[in-house]
Amino acid sequence: MPAKRVVVAAPRGYCAGVDRAVVTVEKALDVYGPPVYVRKQIVHNRHVVEDLEARGAIFVEELGEVPPGATVVFSAHGVSPAVHAEAAARGLKTIDATCPLVTKVHNEAKRFAGQGVQILLIGHAGHEEVEGTTGEAPEHITLVQHPDDVDAVELDDPAKVAWLSQTTLSVDETWETVSRLREKFPALIDPPSDDICYATQNRQSAVKQIATHSDLVIVVGSRNSSNSVRLVEVALEAGAKASYRVDNAGEIDPAWLVGVDSVGVTSGASVPDALVQGVLDYLEAQGFPPATEERLTEENLVFALPPELRKDLRRKADGD
């Protein structure tokens, strides 16, 4: 019988933008006291949201649910200028936890629009990040969700067109879309740098590495986490015989393990590592050996907390 094996990918889990957003809510609760309101999920992970709720955070869908004068945190996915304007009009104290890499895409959208360039935004309809980016220049942006959508794209001036993308997409599918766009629009302008974030790319590359020798790849991440869903797709494309996404170990179906000798495990960029450890503990309880880690690269990037929060943290420290 082949020896059983469990390999856990690295990098995995929290990226710099997610860590910054979660710590922003935690520090806001420390500085201002509960409740602190958060528009949308601060990051797309059910367990993170539930933990912050237990500490006093209140998550809302829209600003109309926030009492006038209250403190509200904008999620890591970013918001449109209209949301900022609404918050100001209602006298809300805002803390913007938008990931700096998402802010970069917003700035690119504003710059292209200011130059009269039409923008093809590669992303998923309804995702908060896409809504926020589109809100920067709605009259200039056309959404392209899949490579097959390219044929239907029509532009007023094909000579003045650029592409941008949601930061959490499949790297390979995005480049396929860009390639097809360039065939149709040879004058297509690239963004100054790749919009897909470093963490998304690293996690996809890492899962490709373990998928080649895994009968099964388990991805830990929530259903509404775009980057987690992409990891399942990438694992299957890279050669895994099967791959499933779970929020935690309790969602693993024992039938998935029947006849399986090698299991790969990874997690999306908004997943606490304790949830991954829970999956590894479950596999050990099912007779698999302790996991070995396969590390693709080191990640050392750290983002500073939002400036408005840093200022109040300093003030509180000086007062203490």
Side-chain angles (χ1 to χ4, degrees):
M1 292 289 291
K4 291 185 181 293
R5 185 168 181 246
V6 177
V7 174
V8 61
R12 63 181 178 277
Y14 272 15
C15 63
V18 164
D19 186 64
R20 173 182 186 263
V22 174
V23 172
T24 292
V25 178
E26 293 172 343
K27 294 294 186 183
L29 287 165
D30 290 342
V31 173
Y32 312 117
V36 167
Y37 292 82
V38 184
R39 183 184 180 274
K40 308 289 187 181
Q41 291 190 352
I42 185 68
V43 297
H44 285 161
N45 185 269
R46 178 167 61 86
H47 296 275
V48 171
V49 169
E50 289 173 353
D51 179 62
L52 292 172
E53 283 178 330
R55 301 186 189 198
I58 297 176
F59 290 85
V60 299
E61 284 300 303
E62 299 299 341
L63 293 182
E65 302 170 59
V66 181
T71 298
V72 61
V73 179
F74 294 144
S75 80
H77 309 105
V79 299
S80 70
V83 174
H84 283 285
E86 181 186 355
R90 300 192 64 244
L92 302 178
K93 177 180 178 60
T94 60
I95 300 172
D96 191 352
T98 300
C99 174
L101 299 180
V102 174
T103 299
K104 176 180 76 75
V105 180
H106 282 223
N107 291 337
E108 290 166 353
K110 288 186 284 188
R111 182 173 62 85
F112 281 135
Q115 296 169 349
V117 174
Q118 298 169 91
I119 301 164
L120 299 175
L121 176 60
I122 304 170
H124 297 134
H127 192 281
E128 289 104 301
E129 184 183 329
V130 166
E131 292 178 348
T133 301
T134 301
E136 295 287 358
E139 296 178 358
H140 289 79
I141 291 178
T142 299
L143 183 63
V144 181
Q145 297 197 71
H146 304 287
D148 292 340
D149 294 341
V150 171
D151 292 341
V153 175
E154 298 294 338
L155 298 174
D156 294 334
D157 185 359
K160 295 185 70 174
V161 58
W163 70 272
L164 298 174
S165 80
Q166 183 180 327
T167 63
T168 55
L169 301 179
S170 160
V171 176
D172 293 338
E173 183 174 306
T174 298
W175 284 112
E176 181 185 349
T177 302
V178 171
S179 177
R180 291 177 66 167
L181 285 171
R182 199 176 303 284
E183 287 178 11
K184 186 167 183 176
F185 306 109
L188 187 70
I189 303 168
D190 293 328
S193 60
D194 186 0
D195 285 343
I196 296 178
C197 88
Y198 78 97
T200 297
Q201 297 190 49
N202 285 346
R203 280 148 191 72
Q204 290 180 17
S205 296
V207 83
K208 285 181 182 179
Q209 182 172 285
I210 67 169
T212 58
H213 50 76
S214 296
D215 298 324
L216 167 68
V217 171
I218 297 174
V219 176
V220 186
S222 291
R223 179 178 288 104
N224 62 338
S225 166
S226 176
N227 73 88
S228 298
V229 173
R230 299 289 84 72
L231 287 174
V232 173
E233 298 170 354
V234 170
L236 292 170
E237 292 166 359
K241 296 176 183 175
S243 183
Y244 300 97
R245 180 205 54 78
V246 298
D247 251 309
N248 53 50
E251 294 186 356
I252 297 174
D253 184 343
W256 299 344
L257 303 177
V258 175
V260 166
D261 296 310
S262 57
V263 180
V265 179
T266 191
S267 61
S270 51
V271 177
D273 210 48
L275 298 178
V276 176
Q277 188 57 52
V279 169
L280 301 181
D281 292 343
Y282 174 88
L283 292 172
E284 284 194 50
Q286 302 302 308
F288 285 85
T292 57
E293 183 180 82
E294 285 192 19
R295 178 165 292 277
L296 176 75
T297 186
E298 296 289 340
E299 291 181 347
N300 301 306
L301 184 63
V302 177
F303 293 133
L305 292 173
E308 57 271 36
L309 179 58
R310 294 202 308 271
K311 180 179 67 176
D312 289 341
L313 282 167
R314 285 194 298 269
R315 184 180 297 123
K316 184 173 188 288
D318 292 342
D320 292 345

